[in-house]
Amino acid sequence: MSQAIVRLLVSRLLQAGLVAWAVGTLTFLLTRALPGDMAYRIAAGRYGYENVDRDAAQAVASELNLDSHPLSAYVHWLGDLLQGKLGHSLVSGEPVWQELGHQLGHSLDLALTAVVLALLIGPPLGMLAGLHRGKALDKASLVAATGLRSLPPFVIGLLLIMLFSVTLGWLPAAGHGTAAHLWLPALSLALGLAAVSARVSRNAMARVASAPFYAFAMTKGLSPQRTFWRHGLRNVGVPVVAYLGVQLIYLIEGVVVVESLFAWPGIGHALVHALVARDVPMVQGTALAMGLLFVALNTLVDLACLAIDPRRRPA
């Protein structure tokens, strides 16, 4: 393993520790600052709003020791975090790790499918536009990319539901259980990612195609296709992969909205329900999982950039 990879992994490991502490602390403070009766919300999450009264809320407050000082609760949580413990859900009573293990798999399925679709849609169209810059394809891709990037994921999701579920009846509007349920939420995330990657790959392809080394490859007799595969693709791939790391925040944010819109049982959907129920351990656990997922995906992006671009490696 090279020194560059070791330094990268060590720095990302330190970053993961800082993210875990910062995300956990912020979610603890923000959930405590929310208005309303915390015990009543937790009781409603357990028994339903119609079955909750003041006695039930007081019983929950006594059971969970919700009247304790916030600083004491925070120190207790921090000690558990250092031991790798996330506690138990205040609503279901199940360990948070167990709940996350079930939900994280669904979120990873959705996120990875969205990334694959975005890479299949965006960069190929962008590279074609870069090779034909200034022509109709280039202008059409600019309009499409600008329109898609300006729409939030939930608007794209609603438009896809209206088209493919309501009008055409090809795909289910929501739910989980079959591969057909995955397409609409994944496409809702993928189109926004593809819009940006298309413009990044277009600009990179246009820059590479006008570079002296690309023209020299054509001059020495290589065909346009061979020149592209040998000298263009790798140089275009570096900025596309690097910018994908920046766009991962769009993916992480979009997961929360899209999972709620399509009733997809992932960590984003669980985070919304945990916030409503004031389930502080679940809020901290899901937010922590999303923060660490972002760090892990950025690490993979950095490793891919090291593999693609030899200039980043030590001599």
Side-chain angles (χ1 to χ4, degrees):
M1 187 180 295
S2 69
Q3 293 182 355
I5 295 178
V6 172
R7 286 196 299 267
L8 172 63
L9 294 178
V10 170
S11 66
R12 291 304 186 189
L13 186 62
L14 295 175
Q15 184 182 5
L18 181 61
V19 166
W21 171 78
V23 169
T25 301
L26 285 174
T27 51
F28 180 87
L29 295 175
L30 292 175
T31 49
R32 291 277 177 168
L34 288 172
D37 189 342
M38 187 172 178
Y40 185 89
R41 294 277 185 166
I42 295 171
R46 286 184 177 183
Y47 314 119
Y49 281 95
E50 67 279 359
N51 299 321
V52 176
D53 55 17
R54 181 174 297 179
D55 293 336
Q58 288 179 348
V60 168
S62 300
E63 174 193 345
L64 301 177
N65 198 23
L66 297 178
D67 297 330
S68 63
H69 196 277
L71 182 59
S72 173
Y74 174 73
V75 171
H76 178 72
W77 167 82
L78 192 59
D80 285 345
L81 180 64
L82 292 175
Q83 301 176 55
K85 302 176 182 177
L86 296 180
H88 291 72
S89 169
L90 301 182
V91 175
S92 67
E94 297 292 333
V96 173
W97 277 119
Q98 181 176 327
E99 298 271 354
L100 290 178
H102 174 71
Q103 298 152 359
L104 186 59
H106 297 305
S107 291
L108 287 176
D109 288 341
L110 177 59
L112 293 176
T113 305
V115 170
V116 171
L117 288 175
L119 292 176
L120 291 176
I121 297 171
L125 290 176
M127 286 184 283
L128 282 174
L131 290 172
H132 301 87
R133 53 191 182 278
K135 298 183 180 179
L137 177 62
D138 187 20
K139 296 176 181 178
S141 67
L142 174 60
V143 173
T146 303
L148 286 173
R149 192 62 185 92
S150 64
L151 295 175
F154 77 91
V155 175
I156 298 176
L158 289 173
L159 292 175
L160 292 176
I161 290 173
M162 292 298 295
L163 176 59
F164 291 104
S165 297
V166 178
T167 304
L168 299 175
W170 291 353
L171 295 169
H176 172 264
T178 66
H181 291 92
L182 179 61
W183 287 108
L184 287 186
L187 196 58
S188 300
L189 293 171
L191 289 176
L193 292 171
V196 178
S197 62
R199 297 313 299 170
V200 172
S201 57
R202 181 266 176 201
N203 294 334
M205 188 70 250
R207 184 170 58 253
V208 170
S210 61
F213 73 86
Y214 200 85
F216 177 73
M218 298 281 287
T219 303
K220 69 180 184 180
L222 293 180
S223 65
Q225 293 79 12
R226 197 170 184 83
T227 303
F228 169 76
W229 286 107
R230 293 189 61 180
H231 301 284
L233 184 60
R234 195 167 187 174
N235 286 282
V236 172
V238 173
V240 172
V241 173
Y243 201 79
L244 181 63
V246 179
Q247 284 300 298
L248 289 176
I249 190 63
Y250 173 90
L251 179 66
I252 301 298
E253 291 175 349
V255 160
V256 178
V257 178
V258 168
E259 286 184 352
S260 299
L261 176 63
F262 290 95
W264 186 262
I267 56 175
H269 191 52
L271 176 60
V272 173
H273 284 276
L275 282 170
V276 173
R278 301 293 177 82
D279 192 347
V280 177
M282 277 301 299
V283 173
Q284 290 173 318
T286 51
L288 179 62
M290 295 173 76
L292 294 179
L293 180 61
F294 180 71
V295 175
L297 290 174
N298 268 289
T299 303
L300 293 177
V301 169
D302 289 339
L303 291 173
C305 288
L306 279 175
I308 295 173
D309 190 357
R311 295 171 297 181
R312 296 178 178 231
R313 306 171 200 162

